[in-house]
Amino acid sequence: MTPFYRFAARGAIIPFLKAVSKQHVTGTENIPREGGFIAVANHLSNLDPLTAMRALVDEDVPIYSLAKSQLFEIPVLGHVFRAGGQIPVYRDSAKAGNSLVEAERRLGEGDPIMIFPEGTLSRDPLQWPMTGKTGAARLAMRTGVPVLPMGQWGAQDVLGAYGSGFRPFPRKDVDVLIGKPFDLSEFGEDTSDHAAVRGATAEIMRRITELVEQLRGEKAPRPFDMKYDGDPGKGNIGVRRPDPPTTSDDVRPSRTGTPPGGPGGNENGDEPETASEQQP
């Protein structure tokens, strides 16, 4: 952990989080202590990257997140991000894939990185993890590094999604549950194999959702899927469609994309390889 990273995290970010929340972390014994890994978590609030980072930094494990490029243009904050080694993501541009290339290089050097596989704040009106995008799975398949699943609950009560307000007082409980690391070796290394990539993405989202179920004390419904339920548009929470009927060949909706037989998506049910897994 560089001196600047330590200063930014422990001298500024963590004191701010302590002022607005009471964070409780379980499962720290599962954090890998050597080598690179990919931390993945659900995403309900713009505070999530900070609360997840704190859970790791409190254990003296620095984490490097993929963050939208606009954040690097903000005075002071942009300098903090650059000096802290965070990775900018240039959405909807020719440079969109560069962040995954940089993330792969960092993993090869032994650095852990963090990705929010939903790619944006959850649009699910029930606040469960949505279907995942494939960037985290592709990265894990290519590098072979372990994936560390994390479930979070409570940060959305401090800072809600899409303009629902900042409510720092009274301090809210924020719970983070860290699961056991796992690898995706069963899915192989070929990221051009769409079925394998979708299966790996489903496994990542399944692990995250199981942790959120434990935090909430209830079972999750089928994942909200913007290809099936509909994209509510930027800055809006979605509306769930009725669950699609099941058949002998269609047991339940996928965790990664459109439910089998549902509308939307391309022939392979996959999206282009870009680094869309980060803060909105």
Side-chain angles (χ1 to χ4, degrees), residues 178-257:
I178 303 172
K180 294 184 181 298
F182 63 98
D183 67 53
L184 296 173
S185 57
E186 65 179 289
F187 300 100
E189 301 176 356
D190 183 5
T191 56
S192 67
D193 183 338
H194 298 289
V197 170
R198 291 198 306 273
T201 303
E203 182 63 13
I204 288 173
M205 296 311 301
R206 184 184 70 81
R207 301 268 187 148
I208 294 172
T209 301
E210 285 184 346
L211 297 174
V212 178
E213 287 176 332
Q214 292 180 54
L215 291 174
R216 296 180 61 169
E218 57 183 310
K219 295 294 291 182
R222 68 160 176 88
F224 183 87
D225 184 346
M226 288 197 287
K227 292 178 182 177
Y228 175 75
D229 293 293
D231 186 341
K234 185 176 182 179
N236 297 311
I237 298 297
V239 176
R240 280 179 167 266
R241 291 179 58 191
D243 289 358
T246 59
T247 67
S248 59
D249 297 320
D250 178 10
V251 177
R252 61 174 293 142
S254 165
R255 286 200 183 277
T256 58

Side-chain angles (χ1 to χ4, degrees), residues 19-244:
V20 301
S21 65
K22 295 176 286 185
Q23 184 158 315
H24 315 283
V25 182
T26 306
T28 55
E29 69 277 6
N30 294 321
I31 301 172
R33 303 294 169 167
E34 295 182 358
F37 63 87
I38 302 172
V40 292
N42 59 310
H43 199 13
L44 285 171
S45 167
N46 281 324
L47 278 186
D48 290 336
L50 301 184
T51 55
M53 178 213 71
R54 178 186 173 187
L56 297 170
V57 170
D58 279 347
E59 294 296 314
D60 210 34
V61 177
I63 192 77
Y64 301 96
S65 296
L66 279 69
K68 60 183 181 181
S69 60
Q70 291 90 331
L71 295 177
F72 290 77
E73 300 169 4
I74 300 174
V76 181
L77 180 62
H79 176 71
V80 170
F81 271 49
R82 284 190 294 273
Q86 307 308 303
I87 303 171
V89 177
Y90 299 90
R91 291 184 174 184
D92 302 319
S93 75
K95 297 189 291 183
N98 292 357
S99 55
L100 285 182
V101 174
E102 175 63 13
E104 186 169 348
R105 184 186 71 80
R106 298 277 189 91
L107 289 169
E109 293 180 349
D111 290 335
I113 67 165
M114 174 165 285
I115 295 179
F116 293 86
E118 294 164 273
T120 185
L121 295 178
S122 176
R123 306 300 180 86
D124 184 1
L126 302 180
Q127 298 187 311
W128 288 101
M130 299 191 298
T131 54
K133 297 184 183 297
T134 60
R138 293 175 186 275
L139 195 56
M141 289 172 66
R142 280 202 297 260
T143 62
V145 300
V147 179
L148 183 72
M150 302 176 68
Q152 303 192 92
W153 186 252
Q156 74 278 5
D157 295 329
V158 180
L159 179 62
Y162 307 122
S164 57
F166 179 48
R167 301 177 294 275
F169 307 112
R171 291 195 303 156
K172 313 296 193 304
D173 288 318
V174 174
D175 295 299
V176 180
L177 178 56
I178 303 172
K180 294 184 181 298
F182 63 98
D183 67 53
L184 296 173
S185 57
E186 65 179 289
F187 300 100
E189 301 176 356
D190 183 5
T191 56
S192 67
D193 183 338
H194 298 289
V197 170
R198 291 198 306 273
T201 303
E203 182 63 13
I204 288 173
M205 296 311 301
R206 184 184 70 81
R207 301 268 187 148
I208 294 172
T209 301
E210 285 184 346
L211 297 174
V212 178
E213 287 176 332
Q214 292 180 54
L215 291 174
R216 296 180 61 169
E218 57 183 310
K219 295 294 291 182
R222 68 160 176 88
F224 183 87
D225 184 346
M226 288 197 287
K227 292 178 182 177
Y228 175 75
D229 293 293
D231 186 341
K234 185 176 182 179
N236 297 311
I237 298 297
V239 176
R240 280 179 167 266
R241 291 179 58 191
D243 289 358

